[in-house]
Amino acid sequence: MPKKIHNLPITGIASFAKYPICTNLDELDADVCVMGIPYDQSTPYLTGSKFGPRRIREVSCHYGRGDEGFWDPERQEQYLAAPVRVVDGGDVDIHPMDFHETFDNITETVRKNLSKGALPVMMGGDHSVTYPEARAFDQFEDLCIVQFDAHLDFGQRTYTNGSPMRLISQLPHFKKMCQIGMRGLGSNTREDFQAAYDFGSVVIPARQALEMGDAEVIKKIPQAKNYFVTIDIDGYDMNTAPGVGSPSPGGLNYVFETDVLEGIAKKGNVVGFDLVEVAPQYDPTGITPRLGAMTMLAFMGFIMKEKEKKGLLKHRS
Ligand SMILES: [Mn+2]
């Protein structure tokens, strides 16, 4: 009998959730490709989210289950089990000074994932990276972007981490938008909010979202064929996500947010998502990258469950 491999979280190379590594994207053959974007040059104040991907990878090793996937005792479902195939595609190449080159690398990398039929799951990095990611989805019709965030990110300082949603609203392939979790001080100006409303964005502030509950929030998200989701970790309350550049009290919680993510996966075809703004050095407890890793795994599970039901997995059992 072959010797049992224990594969503890502490052993091996720290790929995302210990999934196999495939950094040559020409050879990519998976349902999901997780990649890092260690970039925080667009952060005007508290930088550090460039360390997010490495730290998320490290803590995610705790949840390495491989082909067995995860049993969810609340939903009574097995998630991310074989034949679902997940790989860690490494990181987008970052130019240390020329952000245009970095942004082009991001767009090209997401395009490559899509051309290989893999769901791109990108780990920021600061929130500016969502704009170059979003550029890559121009092949999709009836596309809605859903954002979880404390901040509207509709600012006018172009290419900062406070402006990606405004830039995305100017992309011709995004006609629908929903923004969940906005609150409190330091968010965008009244004019920025007006610009989002004028675009037609459905804005659901944090308190309202929590009072409505997940079912009502899911209903308010515009119906679309395809969804691209951007999860800023600071949409969560700062007591569960202190490791961010702009922490905010009065935020969302894990149960609510993952329930809404599940609802989005059921509502339409999720074509990709990112999780951004984890800045580990502000959080000595390490709960922020952990919350990031678990949110990513949960959403990947919900998306793949829907693909499984529709017979859309690449490798059927
Ligand atoms: Mn943001």
Side-chain angles (χ1 to χ4, degrees):
M1 228 170 90
K3 196 163 182 275
K4 185 177 162 51
I5 303 293
H6 297 289
N7 194 24
L8 291 183
I10 194 65
T11 62
I13 297 165
S15 63
F16 183 79
K18 305 201 83 169
Y19 284 114
I21 296 168
C22 174
T23 55
N24 181 356
L25 297 184
D26 288 326
E27 291 171 4
L28 181 60
D29 181 20
D31 298 291
V32 183
C33 181
V34 180
M35 294 192 68
I37 311 176
Y39 170 89
D40 63 8
Q41 233 178 297
S42 296
T43 306
Y45 183 38
L46 297 176
T47 54
S49 61
K50 70 178 169 193
F51 299 107
R54 284 238 160 131
R55 196 73 185 99
I56 293 171
R57 281 193 175 100
E58 192 189 341
V59 295
S60 74
C61 290
H62 200 160
Y63 312 109
R65 301 287 184 275
D67 285 349
E68 289 170 31
F70 301 82
W71 173 247
D72 182 337
E74 294 170 307
R75 293 178 172 84
Q76 296 280 305
E77 289 271 18
Q78 194 79 20
Y79 290 101
L80 298 179
V84 174
R85 195 179 286 185
V86 182
V87 301
D88 186 325
D91 296 316
V92 173
D93 195 43
I94 308 294
H95 189 293
M97 294 303 288
D98 182 352
F99 79 88
H100 286 295
E101 182 182 320
T102 300
F103 278 19
D104 287 346
N105 289 346
I106 294 169
T107 307
E108 207 179 296
T109 303
V110 173
R111 262 190 220 291
K112 186 80 186 179
N113 273 277
L114 292 170
S115 76
K116 290 289 183 176
L119 179 89
V121 173
M122 311 302 284
M123 298 181 274
D126 70 43
H127 215 160
S128 70
V129 303
T130 304
Y131 170 63
E133 290 168 17
R135 292 192 300 204
F137 292 90
D138 54 0
Q139 59 180 286
F140 294 99
E141 284 171 13
D142 193 19
L143 182 58
C144 178
I145 180 163
V146 183
Q147 172 202 21
F148 295 83
D149 203 319
H151 314 96
L152 194 73
D153 291 357
F154 229 85
Q156 294 180 57
R157 290 195 193 97
T158 306
Y159 304 126
T160 64
N161 65 345
S163 68
M165 300 308 283
R166 182 181 287 265
L167 293 175
I168 289 166
S169 75
Q170 292 159 2
L171 291 172
H173 52 286
F174 282 97
K175 301 226 168 20
K176 297 175 181 174
M177 184 179 285
C178 184
Q179 300 174 270
I180 304 165
M182 288 74 229
R183 59 193 185 267
L185 303 172
S187 196
N188 283 147
T189 64
R190 187 174 185 161
E191 290 73 24
D192 295 335
F193 273 90
Q194 194 54 53
Y197 301 144
D198 291 346
F199 172 70
S201 179
V202 176
V203 180
I204 312 175
R207 187 200 302 244
Q208 199 182 321
L210 292 170
E211 282 171 5
M212 284 162 71
D214 60 281
E216 282 305 305
V217 169
I218 293 160
K219 264 190 231 161
K220 276 196 91 173
I221 295 171
Q223 188 61 55
K225 193 169 166 211
N226 298 300
Y227 290 94
F228 172 58
V229 179
T230 180
I231 304 166
D232 187 325
I233 196 87
D234 71 26
Y236 284 121
D237 193 85
M238 72 178 187
N239 63 16
T240 51
V244 300
S246 306
S248 270
L252 309 177
N253 64 69
Y254 179 79
V255 172
F256 170 84
E257 191 161 320
T258 47
D259 282 351
V260 177
L261 289 170
E262 186 182 18
I264 296 167
K266 291 186 164 157
K267 201 168 163 116
N269 176 40
V270 178
V271 293
F273 76 91
D274 69 10
L275 184 132
V276 299
E277 293 284 346
V278 172
Q281 69 274 41
Y282 306 116
D283 174 11
T285 70
I287 57 174
T288 315
R290 195 172 277 274
L291 182 65
M294 295 189 87
T295 303
M296 289 169 66
L297 284 166
F299 196 22
M300 284 158 56
F302 302 145
I303 297 166
M304 287 303 125
K305 185 59 71 187
E306 294 309 307
K307 288 208 191 284
E308 194 183 321
K309 284 184 196 161
K310 292 171 192 151
L312 294 173
L313 292 179
K314 288 187 87 174
H315 307 272
R316 302 207 195 137
S317 51

